[in-house]
Amino acid sequence: MSDVFITHALRTPIGTAGKAFRDVAAADLGAAVLKQLVPAGQVEDVVLGNCMGPGGNVARVAALTAGIADHVPALTVDRQCASGLAAIQLAAAGFSQGTVLAGGVESASTAPWRFWPPVGDAGAVRYDRAPFAPVGRDPEMGAAADLLAELQGITRGRQDEYAARSHERAAAAQVAGAFEGEIVPVNGQTVDERIRRGLTVQRLAKLPAVFRADGTVTAGNSCGINDGAAVVALSKTGPGLGVLATASAGVDPTLPGLGIVPAVQKVLKATGLGIEQIDVWEFNEAFAGQVLACCDVLGLPDERVCTQGGALALGHPWGASGAVLAVRLFSQLVTQQSGRYGVAAIAAGGGQGTAILVEACR
């Protein structure tokens, strides 16, 4: 039996950077979802993940913008791409009374420029991201995914097949209305921007490798750069999704994509459940090769993962993506009644992973 339940779960559409939400700040994306969840109960706290915002406390800005009372505190969490799911993990672990709103926000479109300060006579140096690990153990994510695919024997063809399937599944789910109940419109945008209907393996096969000259990772079998927010309401009482276990884990930072594996192993061990007992699997699809490598190591058939499409098609708004996975679990297990147990997991730069295992309680 669970002590904490996800009773409501919503997200914005996922926008492509520079397009639908090009002028919408991360806090405003979060506020759009928080406003819709406030009636879910007496809010006691707000916990949001964020990677690339302006600093400070994005969660507090989002909460106040949403009209949440001044006396309700807010916390911003940064575990890079796992931030949104880590926020839910922290909220569930420290739960007391009332309702806690937890999730993640990200706006790649409005992320501020960052600079190292001048040294001597040299000018300030702009950088695209913060260090995830010490020098020498901090590869770019695409190059690390390419290396992981090579080490695990994941072929280019298999990656392209997986990517095409993600778009096919997402397009079918979108047409069937599978996302409608979970999406809060923002700026008139009501659907995810990135999904490509009719994307084929043949079209993907024409794209060149982008991270290594002899590599297998391309723009087509990688996620996009995206904007979005996702938040869940956590309560001591159901119905909804009972949170049975959450976990975070670390791996070799030069192979960060494997972070999903130990996190999933931890939540399965904590509950005594096996892979075959999980009805819905949601892994963040940062790279097709990375997801396939994790599935192979876990012994999980890859066709069971993201059956309504994943981040390759929907997009990967970094700090929000883990929370998007939780929203997707809620839609499938509660709204669509597609099974009993679900697992969501995401890897993060620096060699980390976070996972959650839930049970539908109707």
Side-chain angles (χ1 to χ4, degrees):
M1 295 292 292
S2 173
D3 292 329
V4 178
F5 297 84
I6 296 174
T7 59
H8 300 76
L10 295 171
R11 65 179 179 89
T12 67
I14 298 173
T16 298
K19 293 189 176 182
F21 303 143
R22 61 184 178 275
D23 299 319
V24 185
D28 293 329
L29 288 170
V33 183
L34 291 172
K35 286 179 183 177
Q36 301 301 314
L37 288 173
V38 171
Q42 182 62 44
V43 179
E44 296 291 337
D45 206 347
V46 176
V47 186
L48 298 179
N50 178 254
C51 297
M52 298 292 289
N57 189 346
V58 174
R60 178 63 169 170
V61 178
L64 294 174
T65 302
I68 293 175
D70 292 357
H71 70 267
V72 177
L75 171 69
T76 300
V77 175
D78 183 356
R79 189 169 271 153
Q80 292 304 306
C81 293
S83 298
L85 198 56
I88 296 173
Q89 178 188 15
L90 288 172
F95 209 86
S96 54
Q97 300 296 324
T99 296
V100 176
L101 304 182
V105 299
E106 201 69 73
S107 171
S109 293
T110 66
W113 290 1
R114 304 181 181 197
F115 294 84
W116 295 116
V119 177
D121 295 331
V125 178
R126 183 183 172 189
Y127 61 98
D128 292 326
R129 66 165 176 85
F132 296 157
V135 175
R137 305 189 71 194
D138 189 21
E140 292 301 320
M141 295 300 97
D146 211 325
L147 176 60
L148 176 60
E150 178 185 342
L151 293 175
Q152 293 297 319
I154 310 297
T155 65
R156 165 69 184 270
R158 192 176 169 201
Q159 292 174 61
D160 287 347
E161 288 173 3
Y162 185 94
R165 186 175 71 198
S166 182
H167 281 272
E168 178 184 11
R169 287 175 164 182
Q174 191 175 61
V175 169
F179 305 137
E180 290 179 1
E182 67 191 39
I183 288 181
V184 175
V186 177
N187 278 14
Q189 185 72 24
T190 60
V191 297
D192 302 307
E193 282 193 284
R194 180 176 164 81
I195 301 171
R196 298 290 179 265
R197 292 179 176 83
L199 184 63
T200 64
V201 173
Q202 291 72 26
R203 288 175 60 190
L204 289 171
K206 297 177 181 179
L207 298 175
V210 292
F211 298 108
R212 298 196 301 166
D214 57 348
T216 57
V217 176
T218 72
N221 57 39
S222 305
C223 66
I225 299 175
N226 302 96
D227 308 324
V231 185
V232 305
L234 295 159
S235 173
K236 279 285 189 178
T237 58
L241 291 181
V243 179
L244 301 186
T246 64
S248 289
V251 295
D252 180 352
T254 64
L255 297 172
L258 281 178
I260 283 175
V261 173
V264 167
Q265 291 170 335
K266 279 187 173 184
V267 294
L268 291 175
K269 182 177 180 180
T271 58
L273 294 172
I275 285 175
E276 69 285 347
Q277 294 172 274
I278 305 302
D279 301 296
V280 178
W281 291 91
E282 287 288 327
F283 287 174
N284 186 61
E285 296 174 345
F287 303 91
Q290 172 243 337
V291 174
L292 290 167
C294 290
C295 287
D296 288 357
V297 174
L298 287 167
L300 170 64
D302 60 79
E303 63 270 13
R304 294 186 61 196
V305 176
C306 298
T307 58
Q308 294 183 343
L312 289 169
L314 299 176
H316 178 14
W318 306 308
S321 293
V324 170
L325 301 179
V327 172
R328 299 268 51 251
L329 286 183
F330 190 91
S331 289
Q332 292 170 84
L333 291 171
V334 177
T335 306
Q336 300 164 24
Q337 299 188 8
S338 299
R340 180 178 180 182
Y341 295 112
V343 169
I346 185 169
Q352 298 186 84
T354 299
I356 185 171
L357 194 157
V358 297
E359 178 184 13
C361 302
R362 304 182 183 100

